[in-house]
Amino acid sequence: MKYFVEGNTGKWEVVMCLEVHAQIKSKSKLFSEASTNWGGEPNSQVELVDSGMPGALPVINEYCVDQAIKTGISLNAKINKKSIFDRKNYFYPDLPQGYQISQFEFPIVGSGHLNIETEDGEKKIGITRIHLEQDAGKSIHDQDDKFSLIDLNRSGCALMEIVSEPDLRSPEEVGQYVKKLRAILRCIGSCDGNMERGNLRADVNVSVRKIGEELGTRCEIKNVNSIKFIQQAINFESKRQVELLENGKKVEQQTRLFDPTKGETRSMRGKEESHDYRYFPDPDLPPLIVSEEKIKKMQNELPELPDKKKKRFIDQYNLKNYDAEILVEDQFVASFFEDLVSNRDSKIVVSWLTVELFSYLKKKDIQLEESNIKSKKIGDLIDLVIDGSISNRQAKEIFEEYLGSDLSALDFINTKGIKQVSDQTEIECLINSVLQKNKEMVEDYKKGKEKLFGFFVGQVMKESKGKANPQLVNKVLKDLLSK
Ligand code: MN
């Protein structure tokens, strides 16, 4: 299904590309040995070079270079054997050097692509390039009435800027793109992908056009740090541009900010051109050379990537495309699933994971990995459903309380007294008592009023206080009524 913005003059197509800044998961910074730990005392993780001290020289961190190469390979991209670090000159209080070391004309990674899942099937999204650069520090404005504060702990941390082609056409596609990219980065371990902590953030370029026309003027929305906000920002921004154009005005090329409380974007500054930054090769850093052997080695060490895992899940466990996609989004979830499914029916396991467990996690607002829930805990409960000890419904009812308790699944249901009645004789007794009490209805049923079957089942379940095994009730009831 195509996505359009409906204006007074008809449909407008929305064109988007993303610049994702991914903080490289590394113990130390791109050009210094300072720690990159999150949440440290302000300005406690700063080497001379990170604070722009005269005479302090940058030294490239090979581990970070390797992560960029690995990321490039995972995105089917060309690795450039020679790349150049440049100075991007601008002033900002959180940028003590007065320039950012980045890559301009010759980035370490060239063009590649990734695949996203859309309603019309798989879609290839082009990656333009990935370059390495330093992060800036942080300005803190809300601690003091008179002053703003600067924390340089983040200054000099390694970033990969991953730039996409303008291939994205709807907020949903952009969401899928970010999810897939995050899944790949997490899978290979080059970035934590934690958007709340800002180690994955996106600049979103949005323009609109009438179908068949050339690309319109774009606005760039800076530093959006959740998929939901990215989508809200696109919705607002595309409508704003359509309204301008339909009223005979022009879209000005701008850098804009998204305000999550108001759900709107507003102008931050006129968009600068690259020549404004006076890029030039950093004289402190030689060209970055990557050997063929290194690229081969990284290629061989690559883990099973999300797309490959997804295909395997579909083949091996007979999963639906949609379910497989969700499971491979998170490496931890994928292996949790494989633990569970090893000796159980995949349909039941998928449903318990993606419905019950995921809504529990959403309610608690935590990731599976942080939740400390073990696959055995879930597996033991599923087993009690499979062997008929409790019904699916009973299991769902106790699920949340059970996860919060230290008891084993069996102890838990015994303590709660919710064991399902699966004893044939006991169930026959219950049914006979119900049929005795409703003799007239039994007659009606036998005369052809088959709808009454559900009524009998309901009565039996009520009599058993919900504990009777429903499958068995159905079977035995059918037998008894046909006599
Ligand atoms: Mn950048």
Side-chain angles (χ1 to χ4, degrees):
M1 222 180 47
K2 276 239 164 201
Y3 174 87
F4 296 107
V5 170
E6 207 66 55
N8 295 326
T9 60
K11 290 180 154 94
W12 293 79
E13 187 180 31
V14 186
V15 178
M16 289 149 289
C17 67
L18 255 61
E19 291 160 31
V20 170
H21 284 93
Q23 192 184 323
I24 292 177
K25 189 177 178 181
S26 150
K27 289 199 177 75
S28 53
K29 297 182 179 180
L30 184 55
F31 298 114
S32 86
E33 287 180 349
S35 163
T36 60
N37 272 350
W38 192 78
E41 275 290 300
N43 298 309
S44 65
Q45 299 163 190
V46 188
E47 294 277 331
L48 295 175
V49 70
D50 308 315
S51 56
M53 288 297 159
L57 291 172
V59 178
I60 187 79
N61 178 341
E62 192 180 1
Y63 181 81
C64 293
V65 173
D66 289 356
Q67 301 314 299
I69 297 170
K70 210 158 72 169
T71 304
I73 297 171
S74 310
L75 294 171
N76 313 292
K78 178 171 175 278
I79 309 301
N80 292 323
K81 290 190 181 132
K82 180 179 174 185
S83 62
I84 307 280
F85 285 107
D86 297 277
R87 292 187 179 180
K88 180 182 183 181
N89 298 281
Y90 67 97
F91 171 80
Y92 206 73
D94 63 17
L95 187 76
Q97 289 169 314
Y99 58 85
Q100 176 193 34
I101 305 178
S102 180
Q103 296 188 305
F104 182 54
E105 212 178 332
F106 303 102
I108 183 163
V109 178
S111 70
H113 71 268
L114 61 72
N115 295 317
I116 59 166
E117 206 58 53
T118 73
E119 282 182 359
D120 310 317
E122 216 162 59
K123 179 172 172 181
K124 198 190 249 189
I125 306 296
I127 305 282
T128 315
R129 59 185 276 161
I130 304 175
H131 60 258
L132 275 166
E133 62 184 26
Q134 304 173 292
D135 207 342
K138 253 184 209 162
S139 304
I140 300 159
H141 304 295
D142 56 0
Q143 302 282 307
D144 191 293
D145 289 344
K146 290 187 189 134
F147 305 105
S148 284
L149 304 170
I150 303 286
D151 176 7
L152 293 179
N153 281 357
R154 205 178 65 184
S155 168
C157 283
L159 295 177
M160 295 179 282
E161 183 171 328
I162 305 163
V163 183
S164 88
E165 290 290 303
D167 290 341
L168 297 156
R169 289 291 178 276
S170 73
E172 286 67 36
E173 285 186 10
V174 172
Q176 288 299 321
Y177 173 81
V178 176
K179 278 187 193 165
K180 179 54 74 66
L181 183 60
R182 189 174 57 184
I184 293 170
L185 298 178
R186 279 183 177 157
C187 174
I188 60 173
S190 66
C191 170
D192 276 329
N194 188 327
M195 297 185 92
E196 294 85 54
R197 288 188 181 178
N199 61 35
L200 191 78
R201 39 192 207 266
D203 302 342
V204 190
N205 288 281
V206 180
S207 66
V208 299
R209 66 175 171 191
K210 279 284 167 75
I211 297 141
E213 277 180 3
E214 282 185 25
L215 288 177
T217 306
R218 68 192 161 119
C219 284
E220 179 179 5
I221 311 158
K222 274 282 176 199
N223 264 336
V224 200
N225 67 353
S226 88
I227 291 175
K228 197 175 100 193
F229 290 160
I230 291 173
Q231 292 177 329
Q232 285 176 356
I234 293 168
N235 276 322
F236 179 89
E237 181 58 21
S238 53
K239 282 185 190 123
R240 185 187 74 88
Q241 293 184 11
V242 165
E243 228 172 86
L244 279 174
L245 294 170
E246 290 194 331
N247 287 313
K249 292 176 186 148
K250 270 190 182 157
V251 174
E252 271 175 73
Q253 188 170 333
Q254 274 176 342
T255 299
R256 299 178 70 84
L257 270 184
F258 177 66
D259 179 345
T261 47
K262 290 189 178 141
E264 60 186 40
T265 66
R266 54 173 184 266
S267 178
M268 194 174 149
R269 54 177 192 250
K271 173 76 181 164
E272 54 291 325
E273 302 281 346
S274 63
H275 61 248
D276 297 326
Y277 285 112
R278 295 292 187 269
Y279 280 96
F280 65 87
D282 191 314
D284 292 338
L285 289 157
L288 179 60
I289 307 295
V290 180
S291 70
E292 184 66 39
E293 287 102 305
K294 171 158 256 170
I295 299 173
K296 285 243 165 70
K297 185 169 170 271
M298 307 245 84
Q299 239 153 6
N300 291 332
E301 287 171 2
L302 228 51
E304 183 183 38
L305 294 172
D307 276 358
K308 209 169 164 197
K309 197 185 282 293
K310 181 174 132 189
K311 289 206 174 76
R312 178 169 66 79
F313 276 13
I314 292 171
D315 294 341
Q316 192 173 340
Y317 305 116
N318 209 3
L319 299 193
K320 287 191 209 122
N321 201 42
Y322 174 82
D323 289 329
E325 178 83 20
I326 292 181
L327 292 174
V328 303
E329 252 168 38
D330 181 333
Q331 196 55 16
F332 190 85
V333 171
S335 51
F336 194 92
F337 165 75
E338 289 211 274
D339 279 351
L340 276 177
V341 84
S342 60
N343 52 353
R344 298 181 185 92
D345 182 83
S346 65
K347 252 196 189 140
I348 298 176
V349 170
V350 167
S351 149
W352 272 91
L353 263 189
T354 60
V355 184
E356 301 310 321
L357 185 56
F358 281 12
S359 40
Y360 172 83
L361 294 170
K362 199 168 181 190
K363 205 164 134 193
K364 299 262 166 189
D365 195 23
I366 44 170
Q367 302 286 321
L368 181 59
E369 191 168 0
E370 315 161 325
S371 74
N372 266 326
I373 297 170
K374 301 278 180 291
S375 61
K376 186 175 182 326
K377 181 103 185 165
I378 307 293
D380 287 349
L381 187 70
I382 296 178
D383 288 342
L384 291 178
V385 176
I386 292 175
D387 76 13
S389 301
I390 55 173
S391 70
N392 209 45
R393 204 191 48 148
Q394 285 174 319
K396 283 179 185 176
E397 277 168 12
I398 60 160
F399 189 60
E400 208 175 319
E401 206 187 332
Y402 164 67
L403 287 182
S405 88
D406 291 331
L407 294 175
S408 74
L410 197 58
D411 287 344
F412 188 87
I413 62 164
N414 284 336
T415 316
K416 292 269 157 191
I418 45 167
K419 218 166 169 358
Q420 183 171 246
V421 178
S422 290
D423 182 79
Q424 175 105 6
T425 346
E426 222 171 304
I427 283 183
E428 275 176 17
C429 258
L430 282 166
I431 293 175
N432 280 327
S433 129
V434 166
L435 297 184
Q436 277 294 325
K437 284 181 203 159
N438 299 287
K439 276 185 182 153
E440 270 176 42
M441 292 205 204
V442 174
E443 286 308 311
D444 289 347
Y445 175 84
K446 285 185 174 167
K447 280 177 200 153
K449 215 171 165 190
E450 287 183 6
K451 273 187 190 159
L452 283 168
F453 190 81
F455 167 79
F456 296 133
V457 173
Q459 290 301 305
V460 175
M461 293 309 289
K462 203 170 148 196
E463 192 100 331
S464 76
K465 301 193 177 68
K467 289 182 193 172
N469 177 334
Q471 282 88 34
L472 201 56
V473 170
N474 271 282
K475 188 178 155 286
V476 176
L477 187 63
K478 241 178 213 142
D479 288 350
L480 290 179
L481 282 171
S482 64
K483 275 180 188 161

